[in-house]
Amino acid sequence: MSSNSFRVMKFGGSSVGSPRRLRQVIELIGKHSRTGPLAVVVSAMGDTTDWLLEAADLATRGELEGSLTVVARIAHLAKTNAAALHPAQSTTLAARVDQLLAPLQQLLQGISLTRECSPASKDKVLAFGEVISATLLAELLKAAGTDAHFRDARLLLVTDDTFGTARVDVSRTRERLQVAITEWGASLPIIPGFIAATLDGRTTTLGRNGSDYTAALVAQGVGASEVTVWTDVLGLHTADPDLVSDAYPVAHLTHGEGLELAAVGVRMLHPRTMIPLIEAGISLRIRNTMHPDHPGTLIDAIGSRDGQRPTCIATREDLALLGIEVRKLSDQFQLGERALAALRAARVTVWMTAQSANGQSIALVVPRPDAPRARNALETELAQELARREVEPLGVREPVTLVTLVAEAMGHGVNVAGRFFSALGAVGVGVRASAQGASSRSISCVVDAEDTAIAVRTTHAAFNLAHQQVSLFVLGKGTVGGQLLAQLRTQQEQLRQRHGIALRVVGIADSRRTLFDSTGLALDGIEEQLARVVRGEPGTRALAPLLDELRRLPVPILVDCTADGDVASLYTEAFRRGIHVVAANKKPLALPWNEREALLAEARHHHVAYHYETTVASSLPVIDTLANLVRTGDTVRLITASLSGSVGFICNELTSGVPLSTAVRTARERGFTESDPREDLSGADVARKALILARELGLSLSLADVALEPFVPEPSDAGDSPESYLRSLRALDAEYTQKVERCKQSGTVLRYLARIDPTRLGTDAPVIRVGLTAVEAGQPAADLRGSESFVSFTTTRHSEFPLTVRGAGAGGAVTASGVLADILRVSQTLRGR
């Protein structure tokens, strides 16, 4: 037989843990054994290894009966699996299981008598799991027509006597395997994984991922071309599927990428497994036992040639971050070397080290359970320096998570690290420490454990998805909110395909009901879904707990389409959780100056966006235009504006001869006014908008500083309801008809304008004035049509010809489009490409 064509297959415990999976394994082995030389390595069935540990622990405590009960559980699993696959020989196979377990029962009896289980004894106990699994698999393969034989790994793999994590003597192991393949002949070897033996025959185990390591050593020893690890997943994924629903299998990786992933603790890989494969140039393939047609993940010397190949995000959780900082550094201090040596002596695993350029501080990431031991070891090593206060007291931060980005292409591109940290910073995830290897194949950072999910999802989206995921929690389903949902319904697919942004509504709330689903709500019929929800606690306070769920989703945005005056505290809670806010709600911006400034400062402090363009002129880019003028050093001398599209519509209706009461009712029916038209006709809405603009100039004014003339004084018989108010307006029809007539006679047009004059600051004249004005023909405000709004900026640079922004200024659809534009602005800023 030519050893060059050998292949090695390894089957994990889940692959042989049930009759259904075991049957699939036998079929796979039978099929592949007919295509060339093959060796099979197998793990213990199901949870057998954990059960053996339990049995050993019980025996050590002297509880022999309990220990033997666990052995009976192991026997039952093995017998059940064997009987299901080969009922005709169930009695024979059951007897074989009992025969194999008899020495285990004697061993446990001895442990219970001495109340001691040495590492050597524990290795003997654990070996029974793989031996039973490999023995039964060989028997079942024979019964299925495949010439298979059990080959004891303890006669093939030679190790030292470091029980529990034995070190392999690679040279002697290779010699034994080269002899073994000549003895195997045409039969198929079934080799137990995880176990080996010392040169004098004492049983040892290989530690974590031991069976994979066995497969790699066998492949190296027999000169195999490929190792296939059959497991219960489709391959190595771009991220942990439990954290990222969009994670997907990676088709092709290099040996180097595999080694990097193994080094940061990816469950299916281990450095010890990768090194023999790399040394011998053997490829590794990870495939799913129950989906044998799926190609899985191939790891070889070449890797993918696709320039856009995916990036893997690996996480290692339940860690602690230890920080050491030197106050006075000398050349002899050697902080990093001493710290690592101390932890090595204390047998503490260090998952990441990050040292400052001058060596004055170092961050060390260790398993959280080992943190006290690590701290003691470091404090002992640095005792003299601590006593002399040359070193700051050690800081420990726990629990933390190590997040690592792994991709061969990282070393060939620019701004990978920038995109990595920018993506995390954009969602408010604090990076506690970071490191990049010399290979530039990976970059790692430490984040707080509570930020694990959002960090992984955000990074995964930034590097692996063709689209940027965005999670929306919409407050309000009235005129603006309803239109926003309608626009999202019709534009979702277009936004994904053309702009690479996947908007997903995960929550919607009105004044008494809330719907929330982190996987996304179906927008078709969403209003009906909300209507079926049982009414809950009123107010925004009841929504705060949902922010904790929202913050863990990709690019979380709270979208406020209400006119609620009590949402500022909810905004603050959102900002503190790293949630962006997009709002059409003016009221938080019209709060007392100190409260408004505190709100904006909170957003800046947590590095999140607060966009409110639609609060002034619907979808018109007024705030952005003003901000650009100020940012570029221009000085605003005067702002003149028609800021209410609804009042503008009413003015045009009056000019056309329509009575006031009819014009207001029409504006309300078309969705131009607030739900209660008094907000518009009193001028309060325009006053807030004018105040928002003035404050964008840095003027610390309040609503009390606005000289306000209502568009319509409230009639004495207005009543409490909007409908009674509309009826009361009939008494004013004649008065407003006369006002329009007087304007026509003077060649002017009736308009309701806001005027902001910063030059009046510090004088007795009001800086902000809102009221009815007769505008001469030819002025920008004179020819406004329908519900148009306009804002005119007279500045140092735009003095002769003021800069004017003009367009539709009212209506749910128009405002909703402005809200959507603000949402996309957040999304595209984070996407960065």
Side-chain angles (χ1 to χ4, degrees), residues 719-754:
D720 295 329
S721 71
E723 185 57 38
S724 64
Y725 174 72
L726 289 171
R727 287 195 300 268
S728 71
L729 291 178
R730 294 172 188 165
L732 299 175
D733 284 347
E735 177 185 339
Y736 276 78
T737 298
Q738 291 173 5
K739 286 184 179 182
V740 171
E741 189 58 36
R742 284 195 294 269
C743 284
K744 285 182 178 179
Q745 290 174 2
S746 63
T748 59
V749 179
L750 192 65
R751 290 287 182 255
Y752 193 64
L753 300 181

Side-chain angles (χ1 to χ4, degrees), residues 404-440:
T404 304
L405 194 69
V406 177
E408 191 75 37
M410 281 180 55
H412 310 302
V414 296
N415 199 34
V416 174
R419 283 170 56 200
F420 182 50
F421 293 118
S422 175
L424 294 174
V427 293
V429 173
V431 174
R432 305 304 175 187
S434 64
Q436 184 166 4
S439 70
S440 297

Side-chain angles (χ1 to χ4, degrees), residues 172-419:
R172 283 196 169 97
T173 296
R174 185 184 292 112
E175 289 173 4
R176 288 193 180 185
L177 284 164
Q178 286 294 316
V179 172
I181 58 174
T182 62
E183 298 171 350
W184 293 342
S187 69
L188 171 67
I190 308 298
I191 304 167
F194 179 60
I195 64 173
T198 60
L199 197 58
D200 58 358
R202 290 175 294 163
T203 297
T204 58
T205 59
L206 303 179
R208 180 174 166 261
N209 285 71
S211 292
D212 288 357
Y213 188 29
T214 301
L217 291 166
V218 170
Q220 184 184 43
V222 302
S225 59
E226 181 174 290
V227 173
T228 301
V229 174
W230 292 92
T231 182
D232 54 1
V233 295
L234 293 175
L236 279 172
H237 280 61
T238 49
D240 184 347
D242 290 337
L243 293 175
V244 183
S245 59
D246 288 311
Y248 56 93
V250 180
H252 207 168
L253 293 169
T254 64
H255 277 143
E257 288 172 313
L259 189 59
E260 293 280 356
L261 289 167
V264 294
V266 169
R267 183 175 60 88
M268 284 182 286
L269 295 174
H270 193 281
R272 290 185 310 168
T273 302
M274 293 302 305
I275 289 169
L277 302 179
I278 293 171
E279 289 175 346
I282 300 168
S283 61
L284 171 66
R285 192 180 290 275
I286 299 169
R287 300 179 70 177
N288 190 316
T289 310
M290 300 310 295
H291 298 277
D293 295 330
H294 192 282
T297 298
L298 175 64
I299 304 174
D300 61 16
I302 300 170
S304 174
R305 297 185 183 277
D306 180 6
Q308 299 299 315
R309 56 185 176 274
T311 302
C312 292
I313 293 93
T315 52
R316 187 156 194 88
E317 300 181 56
D318 200 30
L319 302 175
L321 177 66
L322 280 69
I324 310 172
E325 187 167 353
V326 180
R327 290 174 174 168
K328 183 180 179 182
L329 192 67
S330 66
D331 293 337
Q332 290 75 37
F333 202 94
Q334 299 175 322
L335 175 61
E337 184 179 329
R338 290 175 62 189
L340 291 173
L343 294 179
R344 223 173 9 250
R347 300 180 68 84
V348 174
T349 301
V350 178
W351 283 104
M352 190 190 87
T353 305
Q355 192 164 359
S356 62
N358 61 3
Q360 190 157 352
S361 63
I362 187 171
L364 302 152
V365 180
V366 303
R368 189 162 68 100
D370 295 342
R373 192 163 83 252
R375 183 172 189 166
N376 289 337
L378 292 170
E379 288 177 340
T380 300
E381 172 65 28
L382 300 171
Q384 292 183 13
E385 289 83 1
L386 285 165
R388 294 194 296 264
R389 304 191 67 183
E390 294 174 356
V391 174
E392 296 282 353
L394 269 66
V396 179
R397 190 179 193 94
E398 57 180 343
V400 296
T401 296
L402 183 65
V403 179
T404 304
L405 194 69
V406 177
E408 191 75 37
M410 281 180 55
H412 310 302
V414 296
N415 199 34
V416 174
R419 283 170 56 200

Side-chain angles (χ1 to χ4, degrees), residues 47-269:
D47 296 323
T48 297
T49 300
D50 290 336
W51 294 344
L52 287 167
L53 286 169
E54 182 185 352
D57 182 58
L58 288 167
T60 305
R61 299 204 303 262
E63 299 176 25
L64 179 60
E65 186 176 344
S67 179
L68 295 179
T69 300
V70 175
V71 174
R73 192 192 310 159
I74 296 169
H76 177 73
L77 174 64
K79 291 174 183 179
T80 300
N81 285 342
L85 265 71
H86 199 42
Q89 291 191 17
S90 59
T91 304
T92 303
L93 292 173
R96 184 77 176 108
V97 170
D98 289 337
Q99 180 186 11
L100 290 170
L101 288 174
L104 172 62
Q105 293 171 331
Q106 294 173 0
L107 177 58
L108 292 171
Q109 186 173 7
I111 292 171
S112 70
L113 290 172
T114 61
R115 302 288 179 93
E116 183 181 348
C117 184
S118 66
S121 296
K122 183 176 287 186
D123 277 3
K124 279 186 184 179
V125 170
L126 295 179
F128 283 90
E130 271 69 20
V131 169
I132 292 169
S133 182
T135 301
L136 284 182
L137 181 58
E139 295 295 332
L140 292 169
L141 282 165
K142 282 182 186 176
T146 299
D147 182 17
H149 289 82
F150 169 79
R151 305 293 182 179
D152 197 336
R154 291 169 292 191
L155 303 177
L156 302 172
L157 274 62
V158 182
T159 70
D160 66 6
D161 59 359
T162 308
F163 299 100
T165 54
R167 297 179 182 177
V168 175
D169 185 329
V170 176
S171 178
R172 283 196 169 97
T173 296
R174 185 184 292 112
E175 289 173 4
R176 288 193 180 185
L177 284 164
Q178 286 294 316
V179 172
I181 58 174
T182 62
E183 298 171 350
W184 293 342
S187 69
L188 171 67
I190 308 298
I191 304 167
F194 179 60
I195 64 173
T198 60
L199 197 58
D200 58 358
R202 290 175 294 163
T203 297
T204 58
T205 59
L206 303 179
R208 180 174 166 261
N209 285 71
S211 292
D212 288 357
Y213 188 29
T214 301
L217 291 166
V218 170
Q220 184 184 43
V222 302
S225 59
E226 181 174 290
V227 173
T228 301
V229 174
W230 292 92
T231 182
D232 54 1
V233 295
L234 293 175
L236 279 172
H237 280 61
T238 49
D240 184 347
D242 290 337
L243 293 175
V244 183
S245 59
D246 288 311
Y248 56 93
V250 180
H252 207 168
L253 293 169
T254 64
H255 277 143
E257 288 172 313
L259 189 59
E260 293 280 356
L261 289 167
V264 294
V266 169
R267 183 175 60 88
M268 284 182 286
L269 295 174

Side-chain angles (χ1 to χ4, degrees), residues 589 593 596 600 612 616 623 626-627 630 691-699:
L589 297 167
W593 172 260
R596 180 255 192 193
L600 296 177
Y612 45 86
V616 170
I623 290 176
L626 178 56
V630 174
L691 179 64
I692 290 170
L693 281 180
R695 286 177 165 183
E696 290 295 307
L697 292 173
L699 305 179

